[in-house]
Structures are given as structure tokens and as C-alpha cells.
Amino acid sequence: MGRLLAIDYGKKRTGLAVTDPERIIATGLATVETSKLLQFLTDYCSREQVDAFVVGEPKQMDNTPSESARYIEPFLNQLAEKFPDKAVCRMDERFTSKIAFQAMIDGGLHKKQRQNKALVDTISATLILQNYMDRAAVGR
């Protein structure tokens, strides 16, 4: 069984998280410049078996796509073209940044550490992946 890799896509930075090979736990992987994302994914997938990507889906409170969704669509097309053998799943990402920030507070990180947006992006990707895994477990 291969890993699942979550993507919290942003215009400047993208947070990434990955499961262990047995898909038991989600762990933050990295935050990369979005302009270098496809190359990072290519390199990572050449070293590790990844079965699917879980991409955050930004939505409004009324369940309609948020304004930032338009930036993700071209990336999704590139991802499907670059990795035709891997599934691309979507997962609602509402509130992940706020939850990530709260987790940093709860974890005792100092104010300066909480201002690290790259860390917030990685934690957000981890939350997206864990939510996806929890939802999949309910369907079993």
C-alpha cells in the first residue's frame, strides 16, 4: 500500500503532509514554494510510493467554491497530467488554517513561532489529510 499525500495549495506557498505506508497517521512533510511544487512532487514520488493526492478544497460557508478555488483548478489539471496513475481526491479545507493556528497555541509555541506561515501551511495540510483519513475510516 502506498502513501497518501495532502496538498494545501496556496498562491505563494503550499503545505504538504503525508501518511506512513500503512496509512495510519498523517504527518507534516514540508512547505514549498508553489512555483516549485510539481518538481518537489515528482522528486518525492520517485523516492516514495504515493497512491493518491488529497487536495484541499476551499469553500465558502454556504458550500460554494471560494474565490481561491480558481487558482487551484489549473494546478489540478497539471497534477492529473503529470501523475495520470495517481488518484486525486478533494477534501474540504474550511477552518484548517484557524485550527492549525490554535494547535500551535495549544502546543505552546511562542508568538514568533506562530507567525511562521510555512508551519501553518504544513499543519493545515496535515489536518486536511487526517480529516480525509477519518472520513474514509467511517466509510469502511
Side-chain angles (χ1 to χ4, degrees), residues 26-88:
T27 306
L29 177 62
T31 297
V32 299
E33 291 178 41
T34 299
S35 62
K36 298 176 181 174
L37 178 58
L38 284 173
Q39 185 59 53
F40 181 93
L41 294 174
T42 299
D43 294 344
Y44 186 81
C45 290
S46 71
R47 295 187 314 273
E48 299 288 342
Q49 182 183 346
V50 174
D51 287 346
F53 297 109
V54 179
V55 182
E57 186 172 21
K59 293 183 178 184
Q60 303 276 3
M61 290 304 296
D62 65 0
N63 218 27
T64 60
S66 76
E67 185 179 314
S68 61
R70 66 185 169 137
Y71 299 111
I72 295 175
E73 292 305 319
F75 167 71
L76 290 172
N77 294 333
Q78 293 173 331
L79 190 64
E81 185 177 309
K82 183 82 173 167
F83 302 99
D85 61 325
K86 300 189 189 323
V88 177

Side-chain angles (χ1 to χ4, degrees), residues 83-96:
F83 302 99
D85 61 325
K86 300 189 189 323
V88 177
C89 309
R90 303 298 305 273
M91 185 67 206
D92 188 345
E93 67 174 33
R94 281 179 283 193
F95 306 116
T96 55

